[in-house]
Amino acid sequence: MWTDASSRPQVVVTGSSAGIGRAIAEALLAAGWRVTGLDIADPSIEHAGFHHLSVNLGHGEDIARVGPQLLAAEALVHAAGVLRVGPLGALDHAGGELMWRLHVDAATRLADAVVPAMAARGHGRVVFIGSRVAQGMPGRGQYAATKAALLALARSWAAEVAAQGVTVNVVSPAATQTAMLNDPARAGSAPRLPPIGRLIQPGEIAALVAYLLSPQAAAITGQDIAICGGSSLPK
């Protein structure tokens, strides 16, 4: 598609060192994008088109530090995330604050840094990785609230920049097979297996994200698209 590396479009992918973020970064590299990965963890991808920036996405000042390096990006995919659980009466307030900073505040700061430049150029793509849990789930209220906030941001911003050729969408997976499933912080809150009888695979999410970043998806904006394995079907 592109004749040389310099002509390839740039996409910013958060959480690129593991899980869904890494799968997305790898899929986009294979599709010919130049990927700038933002993660506090060391890079796990070796590719000529991949550039890693060490960033603590929970700290606004750290995002501001790298912001000037992202202005040429034609797409932003915010996939970084954590899960903290707890019922009423035993909520993890520190964990709730962390999830808000990482899921919502980071999305806000990154979009504020790069989307105006996309709109000025007349083209851009933004995808937030949400969650089916945004619909509500016992013991995960704080997590659900942050993912629901991403939907509100996406719909609001999609309306702002649709006429400038920029799309903003959310991809909301059900339980996905990543290391997050084994995180001790979610002990006592087992994932719910989708009706298809297996967990969602990161590569399936990456394939949808790649499509949403493509020219063929120019008419899709302000949407919450579920990859749920049947979890959203009537029961």
Side-chain angles (χ1 to χ4, degrees), residues 32-219:
W33 289 80
R34 288 181 296 123
V35 176
T36 299
L38 307 185
D39 206 308
I40 195 171
D42 292 336
S44 58
I45 296 174
E46 293 186 7
H47 189 285
F50 180 78
H51 177 59
H52 173 80
L53 292 176
S54 180
V55 182
N56 186 337
L57 292 163
H59 291 171
E61 62 273 18
D62 218 18
I63 296 174
R65 173 179 59 82
V66 301
Q69 301 179 58
L70 311 178
L71 294 180
E74 296 185 33
L76 166 66
V77 181
H78 183 39
V82 295
L83 174 63
R84 299 292 183 265
V85 301
L88 283 169
L91 293 177
D92 181 353
H93 296 291
E97 181 182 353
L98 171 63
M99 289 188 289
W100 186 266
R101 285 190 280 110
L102 183 57
H103 300 163
V104 184
D105 189 59
T108 301
R109 293 175 184 275
L110 289 166
D112 197 42
V114 304
V115 173
M118 294 180 190
R121 291 191 296 266
H123 177 270
R125 298 284 186 269
V126 179
V127 176
F128 298 139
I129 301 303
S131 172
R132 286 290 301 161
V133 176
Q135 304 297 319
M137 182 178 292
R140 302 190 195 177
Q142 294 163 294
Y143 178 80
T146 65
K147 294 299 185 175
L150 287 178
L151 304 182
L153 291 175
R155 289 183 62 82
S156 299
W157 293 338
E160 287 187 32
V161 296
Q164 284 74 50
V166 180
T167 67
V168 187
N169 291 290
V170 178
V171 171
S172 293
T176 303
Q177 191 164 357
T178 68
M180 186 182 290
L181 296 182
N182 301 318
D183 189 338
R186 66 175 298 161
S189 181
R192 295 182 180 180
L193 200 66
I196 59 173
R198 64 169 176 82
L199 298 171
I200 309 302
Q201 297 301 304
E204 294 172 316
I205 300 166
L208 177 55
V209 171
Y211 175 71
L212 290 173
L213 267 55
S214 73
Q216 291 78 16

